Amino acid sequence: MLLALCSSLLLALAAHATGAGWQEEIPPKFVFTQLQEDRSVQRFVANQSHSDHFKLLEQDGDFLLVGARNIVYNLSLHNLTEERRLEWPANPKDIHMCQLKGKTEMECQNYIRVLARKSNDTILVCGTNAFKPMCRQYKELANGTYLQTSEKPGEGLCPYDPNHNSTAIFAGPVKDRTAPSFVNSLHHEDYVYFFFRETAVEYINCGKIIYSRVARVCTKDKGGPHKFQNRWTSFLKARLNCSVPGEFPFYFNEIQSTSHIVEGVYNGGQRAQLVYAVFTTPSNSLSGSAVCAFRLEDILKTFDGHFKGQEDINANWLPVPVSKVPEPRPGQCVNDSRTLPEMTVNFIKDHSLMDQAVPAFWGQPVVLHTSFNYRFTYIAVDAEIETTNKNKYDVLFIGTDKGRVLKAFNAGSATASGGVVPVILEEMVVFPQGWAITNLLVHHSHRTARLIVVSHHEVASVPLHACETMAQSCAQCVALQDPYCAWDLKARVCTSSKSRMWQNTNFVQNVEEGWDKRCPGGNPYGTGSPPQRQPHHQIPTRHDGGGRGLGGTQGSGSLSVLDPGHPGAAGALPGTSKEFSHIYTAETLAIGVTTSIVTALVIGFISGYIFSRRCRNDEVDSPYDESHYLEQRGGAGGRLAMEPSLINHTEGFLPSNPTNKPINLVLNVPPKNGNGKNANSSADNKPIQKVKKIYL
């Protein structure tokens, strides 16, 4: 039974490993173990003695507003220097009460978690205030200082603990929505969208599981009539399906972060609005992370579909029949929600969940990572980066819980088939201390393009690309497959997209395949035609020793490889690092796990059999012969023999049988033969022979 169960589970795993859509673990083309601390990399650290719990609150032009311990910092995006600050320490009485409740001095501070701009000169700021959240309204004066105009309790607007996930947005009447499991909120047209994870109520009869959701609220929602005046009337939610497809889909259920709404052209000309999101598996399961994209149109279709509900508390969750949905349809935006019928508001109170899940765009994850090295935590997207062939790609920057940032894109997003061909361009260690990345922000200016990376302890700024220092020839530049980088035929330099000035004929680039016939020696396939998807190990060999660029010379940019044995050096497999020298596919893992379990079962069975043979009584011929046990109970070597009148085996667990006919123990009826008669009856109705003795 156990062997069959294990085999079934492992076959399912193998089906995932070899079945539809499961990506191999794709190593990055470059691994930067350390960043050069020069003018191209800036860092901001406020206090070395404790964690400031930095949180990126808002981008204000060329400045960043960063919430921290008792302070809001205004930082310049140019060099991360502090321009000014807004200080707001916790109330001393609240600190005293917080410590009386057993919290530490570090916890009983005011960590600024929420900042919303209500007008050009008015901001709303909320902080934890020693586990008693408070909010203040400030007016920004002409000299750059802030004047406090009001203060009010912040419960429901701000989390109690700086470690809790929260999101807030100010969009007209919809002022807030925060909870420990909410990860982001987006305002688009008539709606505010919330992304969060929660315990799945529809699965509760089968156990406990976390699902990821997207919720929608109308910006003009003013609450319902009468007793519903403090309740949203348009709140709907639906599951987000980020999974590896197949007969048994493998789900990444726990959302961690989302991008802003990205508008672009995909699948050979299809215009769409996408939201990229990071998902992980539960912390106590197989470690896995994924990036999925969701189309706004699919989200809206889901909210226009069937509602999900149950007849009673013990019933299954099923689609609600259309005939039971009141009019006007719950969840729609109206001019004044306070005039809605109570029946409509009552319905949405118990039926806010939609029946269908929102499918992932492209039908599968864009990027997968299945390893215990790290998990994805955050994502930022630089949308619509145009290449020399006029195709446009979304470049993804993915933060991890170990201080690393991945740079990736989907090389198949511009093709007519719209497939998923993930390319991991870079992996850079931004925080060598291994601090988890909590925020990412892509910033473009007329001078530079940078990525802001935030942890609880430090804020860093790194370039989005370093084309000039990473390639010294045409073949090497094209082999980068970086949408930012192209080879300038006239200047003979690998340059960024900003330097092209729309004269694409002067530049060479091929992000889909990584080679171009105009580059001498740039065809890794000889004279033959390239395959549809270039294998990672066929990228032209890099020649970067420790701290060198592709051409073997010391780079002047901010990114360097400081590992002398980095496999990018001559003779090593390009595009890999020591950390990825042993990459196993899911199929190999499934075979290894299957072999290990079967071997363990066989060894356990043999060991148990030998142990039972040694430990049992020598007189017992079979381990299943119960007569010997009864003989020992009846006396030394004597059999337990009873007359029928002295024993009644049916008493206590079977009903008595006055006709002395045998009983079918499964059906509790006399067994029948093939012609429908009782099996113990005879044609001549002869009496049954009496039994002299019974041996057990």
Side-chain angles (χ1 to χ4, degrees):
M1 178 69 176
L2 178 60
L3 179 60
L5 178 61
C6 292
S7 300
S8 300
L9 292 174
L10 290 168
L11 285 175
L13 178 60
H16 284 305
T18 60
W22 186 270
Q23 300 174 8
E24 294 184 3
E25 184 72 17
I26 300 176
K29 298 169 71 66
F30 294 92
V31 175
F32 299 99
T33 58
Q34 187 173 338
L35 304 182
Q36 289 183 353
E37 302 301 326
D38 57 14
R39 290 179 299 174
S40 296
V41 178
Q42 297 100 32
R43 298 183 185 273
F44 174 77
V45 181
N47 197 307
Q48 300 284 357
S49 61
H50 57 256
S51 172
D52 282 281
H53 285 275
F54 289 127
K55 182 176 181 180
L56 184 57
L57 300 176
E58 185 180 89
Q59 179 182 356
D60 186 7
D62 290 333
F63 300 93
L64 285 179
L65 299 179
V66 179
R69 170 172 163 158
N70 304 322
I71 297 174
V72 177
Y73 292 101
N74 189 314
L75 306 180
S76 169
L77 276 169
H78 175 63
N79 52 17
L80 284 191
T81 57
E82 180 184 341
E83 298 296 317
R84 57 183 182 270
R85 64 173 63 181
L86 187 155
E87 297 188 19
W88 179 15
N91 188 297
K93 293 183 180 179
D94 295 328
I95 293 177
H96 178 68
M97 183 60 66
C98 176
Q99 293 178 337
L100 287 179
K101 294 179 179 179
K103 302 295 183 181
T104 64
E105 179 185 357
M106 184 182 70
E107 294 173 311
C108 297
Q109 303 294 322
N110 189 26
Y111 295 95
I112 311 301
R113 303 289 91 184
V114 174
L115 187 146
R117 186 169 292 278
K118 302 179 70 174
S119 66
N120 291 335
D121 60 351
T122 304
I123 58 173
L124 177 71
V125 181
C126 300
T128 60
N129 188 47
F131 281 77
K132 188 180 178 182
M134 295 293 294
C135 291
R136 285 182 177 180
Q137 188 166 291
Y138 288 91
K139 188 175 183 65
E140 190 172 3
L141 304 180
N143 60 0
T145 60
Y146 297 92
L147 175 66
Q148 178 188 339
T149 58
S150 65
E151 182 176 284
K152 64 177 182 179
E155 287 86 353
L157 296 171
C158 178
Y160 290 79
D161 190 326
N163 294 306
H164 289 171
N165 290 331
S166 64
T167 181
I169 192 169
F170 188 89
V174 179
K175 299 178 180 64
D176 64 271
R177 178 70 182 182
T178 62
S181 56
F182 279 71
V183 299
N184 200 11
S185 52
L186 301 171
H187 180 205
H188 181 71
E189 295 181 351
D190 294 334
Y191 302 104
V192 172
Y193 297 92
F194 300 105
F195 296 86
F196 61 99
R197 57 185 184 270
E198 67 175 359
T199 301
V201 292
E202 68 270 37
Y203 194 83
I204 204 69
N205 291 340
C206 301
K208 188 175 182 180
I209 194 171
I210 300 295
Y211 280 173
S212 295
R213 311 281 199 199
V214 57
R216 187 187 74 178
V217 177
C218 298
T219 55
K220 296 181 180 179
D221 195 334
K222 301 177 182 179
H226 310 305
K227 60 182 179 180
F228 302 104
Q229 59 184 351
N230 294 323
R231 183 184 294 271
W232 278 334
T233 65
S234 57
F235 180 82
L236 300 177
K237 62 182 179 181
R239 183 184 181 186
L240 294 169
N241 181 357
C242 182
S243 62
V244 178
E247 185 178 358
F248 302 97
F250 185 90
Y251 290 94
F252 297 86
N253 277 329
E254 301 193 7
I255 189 170
Q256 304 295 332
S257 166
T258 76
S259 70
H260 60 284
I261 297 176
V262 175
E263 186 169 354
V265 178
Y266 309 94
N267 303 346
Q270 178 185 359
R271 180 161 292 279
Q273 295 172 314
L274 302 183
V275 175
Y276 290 88
V278 163
F279 296 82
T280 63
T281 56
S283 58
N284 60 345
S285 69
L286 292 174
S287 179
S289 302
V291 173
C292 282
F294 298 93
R295 188 170 55 170
L296 205 59
E297 180 182 346
D298 293 329
I299 295 176
L300 293 174
K301 284 182 180 179
T302 302
F303 286 129
D304 289 336
H306 288 282
F307 296 94
K308 186 186 287 289
Q310 56 180 169
E311 292 293 336
D312 56 67
I313 194 172
N314 296 317
N316 291 330
W317 285 79
L318 299 171
V320 178
V322 177
S323 59
K324 293 187 177 182
V325 178
E327 289 291 342
R329 178 183 169 91
Q332 291 183 332
C333 296
V334 295
N335 291 330
D336 191 350
S337 59
R338 294 170 295 186
T339 62
L340 287 171
E342 288 195 10
M343 182 180 297
T344 298
V345 184
N346 237 342
F347 179 88
I348 205 170
K349 182 182 69 172
D350 299 322
H351 300 86
S352 60
L353 180 62
M354 308 310 297
D355 180 57
Q356 295 295 319
V358 182
F361 195 60
W362 294 301
Q364 61 180 311
V366 180
V367 179
L368 279 179
H369 178 73
T370 52
S371 148
F372 289 97
N373 292 338
Y374 52 75
R375 288 172 175 261
F376 296 166
T377 59
Y378 208 87
I379 187 170
V381 179
D382 198 6
E384 295 278 271
I385 302 302
E386 184 175 333
T387 57
T388 57
N389 62 359
K390 299 297 184 179
N391 287 339
K392 296 180 180 180
Y393 298 90
D394 296 335
V395 181
L396 314 179
F397 295 92
I398 307 165
T400 72
D401 61 352
K402 300 297 182 183
R404 302 177 179 224
V405 174
L406 304 183
K407 178 181 174 183
F409 78 102
N410 178 14
S413 64
T415 62
S417 59
V420 172
V421 184
V423 179
I424 313 298
L425 299 170
E426 300 174 11
E427 177 185 311
M428 56 181 128
V429 181
V430 180
F431 301 120
Q433 302 88 340
W435 295 327
I437 292 171
T438 57
N439 288 101
L440 292 172
L441 175 68
V442 174
H443 173 65
H444 286 277
S445 69
H446 64 282
R447 292 178 295 180
T448 183
R450 306 192 67 81
L451 178 69
I452 307 301
V453 187
V454 182
S455 73
H456 283 166
H457 307 270
E458 188 176 295
V459 181
S461 175
V462 298
L464 295 183
H465 50 76
C467 307
E468 295 81 0
T469 61
M470 294 178 66
Q472 306 300 320
S473 69
C474 179
Q476 293 170 354
C477 185
V478 177
L480 294 177
Q481 289 185 269
D482 193 327
Y484 294 112
C485 301
W487 181 258
D488 189 335
L489 292 173
K490 292 183 177 180
R492 301 186 62 79
V493 64
C494 190
T495 183
S496 66
S497 56
K498 283 216 166 195
S499 305
R500 298 175 200 160
M501 301 299 292
W502 300 286
Q503 298 176 3
N504 291 337
T505 56
N506 295 331
F507 295 87
V508 182
Q509 187 182 36
N510 189 332
V511 301
E512 295 87 357
E513 297 172 340
W515 73 278
D516 191 280
K517 61 183 179 181
R518 290 174 290 178
C519 298
N523 187 353
Y525 314 102
T527 58
S529 300
Q532 292 184 353
R533 177 179 176 180
Q534 180 184 3
H536 186 76
H537 63 275
Q538 292 182 340
I539 298 172
T541 304
R542 294 163 42 197
H543 300 284
D544 55 336
R548 295 181 178 272
L550 282 169
T553 59
Q554 181 67 39
S556 60
S558 62
L559 301 177
S560 66
V561 179
L562 299 183
D563 184 358
H566 192 278
L573 287 177
T576 61
S577 69
K578 281 187 175 181
E579 300 181 44
F580 296 96
S581 59
H582 298 286
I583 300 297
Y584 300 98
T585 65
E587 180 180 2
T588 304
L589 175 63
I591 295 173
V593 173
T594 304
T595 305
S596 301
I597 292 181
V598 172
T599 303
L601 288 173
V602 172
I603 294 175
F605 177 80
I606 295 174
S607 302
Y609 178 76
I610 295 174
F611 180 78
S612 65
R613 294 282 297 180
R614 290 186 176 181
C615 296
R616 70 179 181 175
N617 192 301
D618 292 338
E619 296 181 0
V620 179
D621 298 328
S622 170
Y624 307 104
D625 190 353
E626 297 180 358
S627 61
H628 296 281
Y629 171 75
L630 294 177
E631 287 174 2
Q632 295 173 4
R633 292 290 302 271
R639 289 182 178 272
L640 178 61
M642 295 185 180
E643 291 294 335
S645 60
L646 300 179
I647 185 170
N648 183 3
H649 291 286
T650 63
E651 183 177 354
F653 57 92
L654 285 177
S656 59
N657 185 17
T659 60
N660 293 325
K661 294 180 181 180
I663 298 296
N664 186 314
L665 297 180
V666 177
L667 301 178
N668 197 22
V669 296
K672 296 182 179 182
N673 55 23
N675 58 15
K677 296 182 180 181
N678 290 341
N680 61 350
S681 65
S682 60
D684 54 357
N685 295 323
K686 292 181 181 181
I688 300 175
Q689 185 178 359
K690 293 184 178 180
V691 179
K692 295 295 183 180
K693 294 183 180 180
I694 295 177
Y695 292 90
L696 296 179

